[in-house]
Amino acid sequence: MPSSLPAASLGIGGTSMEGSFGFGSGIGRKSVSRERTFREINEPEALRDKCKQICEKVASDLERLELEGKTVTLKLKTVTFEVRPW
């Protein structure tokens, strides 16, 4: 179990993972993410292109860290910062 809320928010937990990295012995980061704030995009194709760019960066991070993903979560915020599930 994570020892603190900041640790939990970073995906750091007490579960040992093979190939885990950082933050001490047997305690590794369990998530890789990219969040970006950018100007309003109204065109679906432009939004897809932006999502693809971010996904490619996450994929590159996972490859560099020699990790594989299990779950992908996409969080969208409106121009008023309202969170919309995808």
Side-chain angles (χ1 to χ4, degrees):
M1 180 186 270
S3 61
S4 69
L5 185 56
S9 72
L10 292 171
I12 301 168
T15 306
S16 181
M17 300 181 330
E18 188 174 324
S20 64
F21 56 97
F23 306 110
S25 63
I27 300 175
R29 192 168 168 180
K30 297 180 186 177
S31 66
V32 175
S33 66
R34 292 270 180 156
E35 289 194 27
R36 296 290 175 265
T37 301
F38 42 87
R39 64 175 174 73
E40 182 177 2
I41 298 176
N42 293 313
E43 298 297 322
E45 188 64 33
L47 188 56
R48 274 192 291 275
D49 289 344
K50 181 60 78 172
C51 287
K52 184 178 177 182
Q53 290 171 8
I54 295 169
C55 289
E56 288 171 348
K57 289 179 181 181
V58 171
S60 176
D61 291 345
L62 288 169
E63 187 173 273
R64 178 178 48 82
L65 296 166
E66 299 180 358
L67 296 172
E68 294 180 3
K70 178 180 167 185
T71 303
V72 175
T73 302
L74 179 62
K75 176 173 64 175
L76 298 176
K77 290 185 180 180
T78 66
V79 293
T80 60
F81 295 97
E82 179 183 352
V83 176
R84 296 282 176 108
W86 184 268

